[in-house]
Amino acid sequence: MAKTKSFTCSACGASFSKWSGRCEACGDWNTIAEEKPLSAGPASKSLGAKRGTAITLTDLSTEETPPPRTLSGVAELDRVLGGGLVPASAILVGGDPGIGKSTLLLQAAARFARNGLKTIYVSGEEASAQVRMRAQRLGLADAPVKLAAETNLRDILTTLETERPQLAIIDSIQTMWADSVDSAPGSVSQVRAAAHELTTFAKRRGLSVVLVGHVTKEGQIAGPRVVEHMVDTVLYFEGERGHQFRILRAVKNRFGPADEIGVFEMTGRGLAEVTNPSALFLSERGKPTPGSAVFAGIEGTRPVLVELQALVAPSPHSQPRRTVVGWDGGRLAMILAVLEARCGIPFAGLDVYLNVAGGMKISEPAADLAVAAALLSAREDAALPADTVVFGEISLSGALRPAPQTENRLKEAQKLGFTAAIAPAGGKSGTVAGLAVTRATDLTGFVGEVFGAG
Ligand code: TYD
Ligand code: MG
């Protein structure tokens, strides 16, 4: 009987029975490759008659003390982890190559080791000498971190078993090679097998493992998205190569809030934590210019002010351009449609560009009103009043919905020297001394308030 072939997308892990150029599940191109089976596979379809052992069941009410956590002392990192490192947990740190994952984790390893955790750093990408050189440059050479340059998973697990560390960092999961799997390192089956072995080992032995995963657009290396389901915590390290800001974002966390961010700055001596990100994101803002609006946002548990920049220009194309950096393109299309349908302000025949300053990515719906403000300001070529922050969600009817944590947003704005805010009416309306809050009920009212009759 001919064996049926199986094809897997290296980005999202979806399987198909035949090859195609584009993954139907995630839409990425050139990510589908033939998958070698993990093992010989089950001989028969059912489990058969052989009995297993009965599992001991417990009640939900059984007393469980919260896991003891270890703090690194880097507040930005500890907060993203949900209040420190949890023992017997698996953490995935994903990010583009060269963004600073190895730097971050070497610094974190040194901090945890100095705080008393037995820490091992396994590099599958760099030689030990390279890692040592980086440690010297970062001033961490004296930290009690044990180092290895190795890719053989069996040897690594054996070492972890004898050394019994409390924290192991595997940089990166794509370079790990399990001899039980018959395919090249970096393939989906290797990455999946290595991640599975390491996470189950962590649970069994009570150590924390941190897996580093590269994400590439081309999907040549298996994306760590297949690993996301196996681990407890998924952190993404984001930023733009040209900018010095780096954002560590929790997208999944079984031990704390998701959506929490930590902000860092890449310096000549490694990553420095940024305790006041609003000041940093607004530091490059000059005089008020048309197309610029300051959004008072909330990231996780913390208010963050960011500048939104819009440019609107007559389009030479029959299909005008809509380009967005740091925000959702679909959401932009929606706001343009609402502006046209509810306020009679058309953007047809105009190219629209929207950028979130500082390499920040925003996903909050409360940014809607700030986006609309930036777009209108660019279109009318009129600067918004200086020292004003904007926030609020826009519904398809053109009504404005109050945003959560209004008071925190206003407080942050006031702290950074803003004197006015435009926010939706209704909801819990906080007041902050020294800040004049204009409340609008719908988009038309907002346009009238800010830009006169239009
Ligand atoms: P790295 O941690 O190697 O990235 P990754 O592991 O995500 O691939 O960091 C690479 C970049 O960081 C590199 O371009 C140089 C820069 N860098 C600094 O600017 N300052 C530093 O102190 C260090 C160690 C790196
Ligand atoms: Mg690296």
Side-chain angles (χ1 to χ4, degrees), residues 177 231 234 250 258 287 328:
W177 176 74
V231 297
V234 179
K287 272 195 282 181
D328 178 25

Side-chain angles (χ1 to χ4, degrees), residues 364-430:
E364 239 196 312
D368 291 354
L369 197 58
V371 170
L375 292 171
L376 290 169
S377 160
R379 190 180 181 281
E380 304 300 317
D381 199 26
L384 290 165
D387 304 329
T388 301
V389 296
V390 185
F391 60 91
E393 185 180 341
I394 300 175
S395 67
L396 286 179
S397 66
L400 301 184
R401 292 206 198 118
Q405 301 196 41
T406 296
E407 194 161 338
N408 282 347
R409 296 174 204 261
L410 297 177
K411 271 190 195 145
E412 178 80 355
Q414 192 265 343
K415 212 167 77 189
L416 280 138
F418 288 85
T419 54
I422 305 173
K428 255 208 234 149
S429 51

